[in-house]
Amino acid sequence: GVSIALSPEELIARIMDAEPPEIFLMKDVKKPFTEANVMMSLTNLADKELVHMISWAKKIPGFVELSLFDQVHLLECCWLEVLMLGLMWRSVNHPGKLIFSPDLCLSRDEGSCVQGFVEIFDMLLAATSRFRELKLQREEYACLKAMILLNSNMCLSSSEGGEELQSRSKLLCLLDSVTDALVWAISKTGLSFQQRSTRLAHLLMLLSHIRHLSNKGMDHLHCMKMKKMVPLYDLLLEMLDAHIMHGS
Amino acid sequence: TSLKEKHKILHRLLQNSSSPVDLA
């Protein structure tokens, strides 16, 4: 497979090339912020970002060689984690703020107008400040995001045929390659062997917080949908429904 | 793959060889 043919350096270069462009909301959010217009802006933005995320995933070496079943399920499981890690990366140099897009930055107070959001907001800020303390590098960020995608789903399909088993072994192989790439990226920072192992552990430990945050965010969005606080349509609705369905 | 799966937007964007960004 492609994953084995590429060196860690080449794989990182391909993963970096796959990075989505800056995405703008392109609509003025009315001030003062209200629950309805903040949620509307955030969901509009998420809908746009999701399309770019599918493009991104397709450019991760080896991803399109997985079965379509696996591609769909990986994306359905990880989409909010990927959005949240991107948000943390954009916000890493802006303490106390979340940079949803270049034209939508919210402080904690501004975010608190949405019921139930402040807890998630604080957790996002805390994880972002941890990345800031660790001085997360762009290459490390890109590897972590690819890892989230490839590690998002351990579920087996009900009818495991030859193609599915082959896809599962390709997936594990790809995950190994991305892990090697992350180790390589860390090794460039000039740390001692011991410090590199510690850094790898610190970065990977943050992924469990991101998964937890994504679950919280998913419940919150589901709740907003049920209360008809925000109309959801198209891709975002489909992705939310898929997640809720997998969860149940 | 079930019929329901085949109707997913995600499914369509993944299968099509054009860029999802262009399709959307």
Side-chain angles (χ1 to χ4, degrees):
Chain A
V2 178
S3 53
I4 303 161
L6 296 172
S7 69
E9 194 173 4
E10 288 165 337
L11 181 57
I12 288 200
R14 295 273 298 272
I15 293 175
M16 302 284 281
D17 277 347
E19 270 298 289
E22 271 196 322
I23 297 158
F24 289 76
L25 180 66
M26 308 246 266
K27 274 182 202 152
D28 282 333
V29 191
K30 288 180 203 119
K31 286 194 181 180
F33 293 126
T34 63
E35 184 169 42
N37 65 34
V38 167
M39 278 311 293
M40 183 69 92
S41 300
L42 293 181
T43 51
N44 270 337
L45 194 61
D47 215 24
K48 283 189 194 185
E49 283 195 78
L50 280 172
V51 177
H52 286 273
M53 189 189 299
I54 298 166
S55 239
W56 160 78
K58 289 174 87 168
K59 289 181 201 156
I60 302 284
F63 184 79
V64 292
E65 287 151 45
L66 302 174
S67 69
L68 195 56
F69 178 90
D70 278 345
Q71 293 178 42
V72 166
H73 284 254
L74 289 173
L75 279 162
E76 283 177 348
C77 286
C78 79
W79 66 271
L80 192 50
E81 289 178 76
V82 171
L83 288 185
M84 285 176 159
L85 179 58
L87 171 65
M88 290 172 197
W89 175 249
R90 289 192 295 276
S91 311
V92 82
N93 294 321
H94 306 265
K97 285 199 160 193
L98 291 179
I99 314 298
F100 289 93
S101 68
D103 54 354
L104 182 61
C105 311
L106 297 181
S107 67
R108 182 181 186 275
D109 282 351
E110 288 165 332
S112 66
C113 69
V114 178
Q115 197 188 359
F117 199 46
V118 82
E119 186 199 1
I120 298 170
F121 210 98
D122 282 343
M123 289 165 70
L124 285 165
L125 287 175
T128 307
S129 89
R130 184 72 186 118
F131 278 128
R132 183 162 51 247
E133 286 163 15
L134 288 168
K135 296 190 170 59
L136 180 69
Q137 301 299 302
R138 184 175 280 279
E139 285 90 350
E140 294 169 332
Y141 155 71
C143 289
L144 287 175
K145 209 163 59 165
M147 275 180 155
I148 287 177
L149 170 70
L150 301 171
N151 189 46
S152 64
N153 181 10
M154 284 270 281
C155 301
L156 299 172
S157 65
S158 50
S159 55
E160 288 270 300
E163 193 210 355
E164 284 307 321
L165 286 173
Q166 213 177 16
S167 175
R168 213 50 50 95
S169 85
K170 275 184 200 166
L171 177 58
L172 291 175
C173 199
L174 258 177
L175 202 47
D176 281 347
S177 303
V178 179
T179 308
D180 287 344
L182 178 60
V183 168
W184 182 85
I186 292 173
S187 74
K188 283 208 321 177
T189 51
L191 299 170
S192 69
F193 181 76
Q194 178 64 45
Q195 288 169 323
R196 276 183 261 164
S197 306
T198 308
R199 183 170 183 80
L200 178 63
H202 283 156
L203 293 177
L204 295 181
M205 279 190 280
L206 271 158
L207 296 188
S208 70
H209 291 280
I210 297 174
R211 173 69 66 109
H212 179 62
L213 258 167
S214 158
N215 289 335
K216 287 257 178 202
M218 209 69 79
D219 288 345
H220 183 261
L221 188 57
H222 184 58
C223 191
M224 287 281 147
K225 181 194 154 197
M226 288 303 162
K227 286 202 292 186
K228 299 198 183 339
M229 180 52 70
V230 60
L232 298 180
Y233 25 70
D234 300 341
L235 192 51
L236 181 60
L237 178 61
E238 189 183 282
M239 299 297 260
L240 175 67
D241 285 347
H243 207 279
I244 299 298
M245 204 184 70
H246 290 318
S248 62
Chain B
T1 314
S2 71
L3 201 63
K4 195 179 162 205
E5 291 261 310
K6 280 182 185 156
H7 282 102
K8 284 182 175 177
I9 304 168
L10 175 59
H11 214 271
R12 191 160 44 81
L13 294 178
L14 280 168
Q15 263 194 317
N16 207 299
S17 56
S18 311
S19 158
V21 182
D22 295 337
L23 286 175

